[in-house]
Amino acid sequence: LVRAYLQPLAGMLFPELIATGDADEHYAFTIKYEPGGDMELKPHRDASVATLNLCLGYPELEGGAVEFFDSGGSGYARLPKGNASAGSGRIIFRPGMAALHRGQHKHQALQLESGRRTNLVMWLFAEHDVVRILPYTEAEQLTPAQRWGASNAGGSG
């Protein structure tokens, strides 16, 4: 699933950061937000070139939205297209909803007011945990045929 769908989709959405090899590996984990445990997550950037965040369940939750910040950073924190393609905003997760975003886009999970939420998070990165932050030029970016071609459809993941 990762190789056949998630990698090409991330490459389509973020062609300036994902080309051959930039999202070949992944790390998946769950995060549970609930009273007596984690209720929020401070502003941060992920250790990934792209992140999938999927809300797995518990429709009775209130609060706990994910806030994305303007991407006007500098150095490694600067996103290639700035706010033109990765501005600020808030996602109110419900079961089954997912967000796919650049790993370096600063974000946080806001305070959970009631209920609980479990999310599956998947980080994409290159071999040896390399996270590309320097954008590709347009000439270096993959074509749709290269992204969705037979070389991406097979394999494990």
Side-chain angles (χ1 to χ4, degrees):
L1 291 175
V2 172
R3 189 169 311 280
Y5 298 104
L6 190 54
Q7 288 173 344
L9 182 60
M12 181 181 74
L13 294 173
F14 315 124
E16 70 282 2
L17 291 175
I18 300 175
T20 302
D22 292 319
D24 280 355
E25 306 229 350
H26 64 278
Y27 175 70
F29 57 96
T30 59
I31 295 179
K32 183 183 284 188
Y33 299 96
E34 63 184 349
D38 289 333
M39 296 289 284
E40 64 186 315
L41 187 59
K42 299 294 183 196
H44 66 281
R45 292 178 174 85
D46 297 335
S48 67
V49 68
T51 297
L52 175 71
N53 189 335
L54 170 64
C55 184
L56 295 176
Y58 312 116
E60 72 280 359
L61 72 94
E62 292 294 327
V66 176
E67 180 87 25
F68 287 88
F69 299 95
D70 280 341
S71 57
S74 61
Y76 79 91
R78 182 186 162 280
L79 294 176
K81 295 182 181 177
N83 289 333
S85 64
S88 61
R90 189 173 285 186
I91 297 174
I92 301 171
F93 274 115
R94 295 291 177 239
M97 288 181 62
L100 180 60
H101 64 88
R102 291 171 180 85
Q104 295 303 301
H105 195 159
K106 189 175 182 181
H107 59 286
Q108 78 176 89
L110 299 175
Q111 178 76 34
L112 185 68
E113 303 297 327
S114 66
R116 58 189 174 138
R117 184 179 92 206
T118 299
N119 283 43
L120 171 68
V121 177
M122 187 174 297
W123 290 345
L124 298 179
F125 46 84
E127 189 176 6
H128 306 297
D129 302 332
V130 172
V131 175
R132 182 173 185 89
I133 57 174
L134 181 65
Y136 289 106
T137 66
E138 282 195 41
E140 295 173 306
Q141 294 176 16
L142 296 177
T143 66
Q146 290 169 319
R147 258 192 308 279
W148 295 97
S151 65
N152 285 332
S156 62

